[in-house]
Amino acid sequence: MSLFSRLTHSRRVECPELQTAEQIDAFIDSRALECATRFEDSFVKRALELGVDGGMILDAGTRVGLIALKILWQNENFYAIGMDSSKLMVERARETAVAWGLGERAFFQVGDARRMRLKTAYFDLVISDSTLHCFDDPVSVLAEIGRVLKPRGALLIRDLERPSRLKMAKHIEEHSAPYGKRMKEYVETAFRAAYTRSELKELVRASGLERAQIVSMDEHHLAIERPGQSDPNSWIKAREQYL
């Protein structure tokens, strides 16, 4: 962090992922709120506009899997693998996939995004929503994402932007209010653990992730974004010839 940034921004804190049953229940309950639905839907829309019209999706830090499942719901040419460190979250994601009739196209697993047991250059689209600040080694996570993403694959990683000292309290209050008291502590920690634009840019540079840009999504969120192209040689495309 530069001298100027140290003066204007608080030092970021560590933010462990949701761990206790109570925390996870509060997060799951929050997904039913209208504000959460709008937030997820805006991400899905953006991801579907990145230039890839089918193939394999990786959702790193999938939590309860709703982002990946909503993409599959809107585009039948995608299959998805969702990875999360929480067994409870993964179990809920699997249950939701079955309930939505997507159990044959969505696969969820417990895993470590820093060391993914996945093939190199396998995914057409990699997504991650509001979890980058939780990883204790984000450079390794981004490097792994770059490894498993196809050379022309698309990427969308959204997360909070850490506000300045002067704006921190205001942003926490604005962002947490729609989610209620049960989520306020988590939202505050997430803001304090989030990265500034310059820090995010440095993480991308250090990871070697290619052709990725840092863009503003809204007042509170930044994204690492990379448009892509559909792969005509995708196994999913080849599979369609025999259906």
Side-chain angles (χ1 to χ4, degrees):
M1 184 184 290
S2 68
L3 176 59
F4 180 74
S5 294
R6 286 198 294 270
L7 293 174
T8 58
H9 289 73
S10 303
R11 185 179 296 276
R12 71 174 295 269
V13 302
E14 296 300 318
C15 179
E17 186 51 285
L18 298 164
Q19 295 174 328
T20 68
E22 182 179 357
Q23 290 173 330
I24 291 172
D25 284 345
F27 176 81
I28 291 172
D29 289 346
S30 74
R31 297 306 88 190
L33 298 173
E34 182 181 353
C35 57
T37 298
R38 289 198 308 268
F39 186 64
E40 291 162 355
D41 290 349
S42 68
F43 185 98
V44 170
K45 183 177 184 295
R46 185 93 171 212
L48 288 170
E49 293 174 346
L50 288 175
V52 176
D53 62 10
M56 284 298 303
I57 298 171
L58 170 65
D59 186 2
T62 191
R63 291 180 171 161
V64 292
L66 291 178
I67 294 289
L69 292 173
K70 286 185 176 185
I71 293 176
L72 299 192
W73 186 265
Q74 294 188 38
N75 187 328
E76 63 182 12
N77 296 317
F78 279 115
Y79 287 68
I81 294 176
M83 177 183 294
D84 200 274
S85 61
S86 168
K87 182 180 179 181
L88 289 174
M89 290 284 198
V90 167
E91 288 175 351
R92 181 56 66 94
R94 289 170 178 166
E95 292 171 1
T96 305
V98 172
W100 287 18
L102 296 172
E104 295 184 357
R105 292 169 54 209
F107 310 93
F108 296 97
Q109 63 185 48
V110 178
D112 184 347
R114 300 168 301 178
R115 293 179 289 274
M116 293 189 271
R117 297 181 179 181
L118 298 169
K119 293 181 180 179
T120 297
Y122 183 69
F123 292 93
D124 300 273
L125 171 63
V126 175
I127 58 175
S128 183
D129 188 27
S130 303
T131 58
L132 185 65
H133 66 273
C134 296
F135 295 119
D136 60 10
D137 187 358
V139 172
S140 293
V141 173
L142 293 176
E144 275 289 87
I145 285 173
R147 179 183 68 80
V148 303
L149 185 60
K150 290 180 179 179
R152 295 185 178 182
L155 171 69
L156 185 61
I157 301 173
R158 177 172 67 179
D159 208 346
L160 290 166
E161 178 180 10
R162 191 165 86 255
S164 67
R165 297 176 191 270
L166 294 176
K167 294 182 178 180
M168 179 68 78
K170 176 176 178 288
H171 281 219
I172 290 170
E173 187 61 33
E174 288 178 348
H175 195 68
S176 63
Y179 293 94
K181 293 181 179 180
R182 294 173 70 197
M183 288 291 291
K184 183 170 183 179
E185 181 179 354
Y186 179 73
V187 169
E188 178 172 355
T189 303
F191 263 115
R192 297 187 183 281
Y195 297 98
T196 64
R197 179 183 287 267
S198 61
E199 289 170 344
L200 204 57
K201 185 176 182 179
E202 177 57 26
L203 293 179
V204 171
R205 186 203 64 77
S207 73
L209 194 58
E210 298 180 347
R211 297 191 295 107
Q213 296 183 330
I214 310 300
V215 298
S216 295
M217 295 286 282
D218 56 46
E219 183 182 5
H220 300 303
H221 295 85
L222 296 172
I224 303 171
E225 184 178 71
R226 185 176 105 178
Q229 297 179 11
S230 297
D231 181 3
N233 299 315
S234 167
W235 68 268
I236 294 174
K237 294 288 186 182
R239 175 178 176 273
E240 292 174 354
Q241 300 175 20
Y242 302 99
L243 295 178

